[in-house]
Amino acid sequence: MPDSQTGPKHVAIIMDGNGRWAQTRGKPRLFGHHAGAKRVKEIVRACPDVGVKYLTIFAFSTENWKRTQTEVSGLMSLFRRYITGEMKDLIAEGVRVRFIGDRPRLDAKLIKLMDSLEDATSENDKVHLTIALNYGGRDEVARAVKEMARDAAAGRLDAETVDETTLAGYLDTRVLPDPDLVIRTSGEARISNFLLWQSAYSEYEFIDTLWPDFTKDVFADCVARYGVRDRRFGGVKA
Ligand code: FPP
């Protein structure tokens, strides 16, 4: 269990507000997503300075396919560009990258790039960056339960022994600690199907800043505010 007197080890972020940021500038929504991608680079680099070891970001949800074809394909090409453009620096800077979400629905070229970035950074340990891509918390639990049912049917899992740890071990996030702090930008106070299981005891921070304006100083402020919170995990104050 994390120590409430220290900073958050794992921060998860719902990066919201790219569209509004672009609209207020009279630009297409994709302009906001490009600005958002620059912030991703900045925030990943700021993690060691603020003591954050694990950063998980919500890049594309299982619901985001409902957006226009132009926006969806623009986002997919932005993800491909991010991976090809950042690969060298992420390796050199000690960032280990993982992707969570339902991969098979993504296009083959993107999946290949995701696999190669995971492989190329697999020895890194300075910062653990997890990118949620075609991710939904309910979908993740449903996929985990399906896999458990398969294992039970094949005699690899005894249903009577199933507990919370068993289920957590089937989730996409099985190798990650639970997030200590979940931040959502842009003034919306919803979790939108992000890390539903994992955030059971997380602290939440809903801030008005739109994601393209989320600088490393804003990030540092969120981390500092977490440090003065009193987390009791359902217990009582010591
Ligand atoms: C939500 O803002 C944002 C998204 C659905 C996409 C997030 C993607 C990025 C930040 C791009 C870069 C990511 C990586 C990993 C390189 P919105 O478009 O829903 O904003 P709105 O609520 O103002 O319309």
Side-chain angles (χ1 to χ4, degrees), residues 14-23 29-30 32-41 57-61 64 67 71 75 78-83 86 99 129-133 184-186 188 190 210-212:
I14 302 173
M15 308 180 288
D16 198 9
N18 295 346
R20 275 163 285 166
W21 186 88
Q23 272 153 11
R29 297 177 57 79
L30 273 168
H33 295 315
H34 281 268
K38 285 189 197 136
R39 285 300 174 209
V40 169
K41 294 177 196 170
I57 53 174
F58 205 1
F60 193 87
S61 79
N64 286 150
R67 297 189 177 206
E71 185 169 353
L75 277 167
L78 180 58
F79 299 142
R80 287 195 299 269
R81 274 171 58 175
Y82 173 79
I83 295 173
E86 283 291 283
F99 292 91
L129 170 65
T130 302
I131 304 177
L133 234 172
R184 183 176 186 141
T185 59
S186 94
E188 311 284 355
R190 294 188 292 274
L210 302 175
W211 176 252

Side-chain angles (χ1 to χ4, degrees), residues 159-175:
E160 295 313 314
T161 66
V162 171
D163 59 13
E164 290 184 15
T165 311
T166 318
L167 178 50
Y170 278 82
L171 296 174
D172 297 347
T173 52
R174 57 191 161 270
V175 298

Side-chain angles (χ1 to χ4, degrees), residues 83-230:
I83 295 173
T84 45
E86 283 291 283
M87 175 122 39
K88 202 164 146 263
D89 287 350
L90 290 166
I91 298 169
E93 289 164 21
V95 180
R96 178 163 188 177
V97 184
R98 296 181 179 89
F99 292 91
I100 56 170
D102 190 15
R103 227 173 271 210
R105 196 178 163 185
L106 297 166
D107 89 47
K109 207 166 145 197
L110 177 57
I111 296 172
K112 214 169 156 203
L113 287 170
M114 291 158 69
D115 289 341
S116 64
L117 183 58
E118 283 186 336
D119 283 351
T121 60
S122 65
E123 301 293 318
N124 285 351
D125 185 43
K126 193 168 177 195
V127 173
H128 291 247
L129 170 65
T130 302
I131 304 177
L133 234 172
N134 194 24
Y135 175 86
R138 288 183 174 182
D139 175 71
E140 179 189 32
V141 172
R143 285 187 287 107
V145 170
K146 190 189 242 180
E147 203 53 43
M148 286 170 72
R150 281 197 189 118
D151 282 352
R156 292 187 292 264
L157 177 69
D158 174 2
E160 295 313 314
T161 66
V162 171
D163 59 13
E164 290 184 15
T165 311
T166 318
L167 178 50
Y170 278 82
L171 296 174
D172 297 347
T173 52
R174 57 191 161 270
V175 298
L176 303 173
D178 286 342
D180 303 301
L181 174 65
V182 179
I183 300 169
R184 183 176 186 141
T185 59
S186 94
E188 311 284 355
R190 294 188 292 274
I191 57 170
S192 300
N193 208 5
F194 188 45
L195 301 177
L196 296 181
W197 172 278
Q198 300 86 343
S199 64
Y201 287 100
S202 303
E203 295 289 328
Y204 277 88
E205 173 112 13
F206 299 105
I207 58 164
D208 289 337
T209 312
L210 302 175
W211 176 252
D213 292 326
F214 190 89
T215 61
K216 60 182 189 323
D217 291 339
V218 179
F219 183 45
D221 287 346
C222 292
V223 168
R225 277 195 292 277
Y226 170 93
V228 297
R229 292 182 185 205
D230 174 28

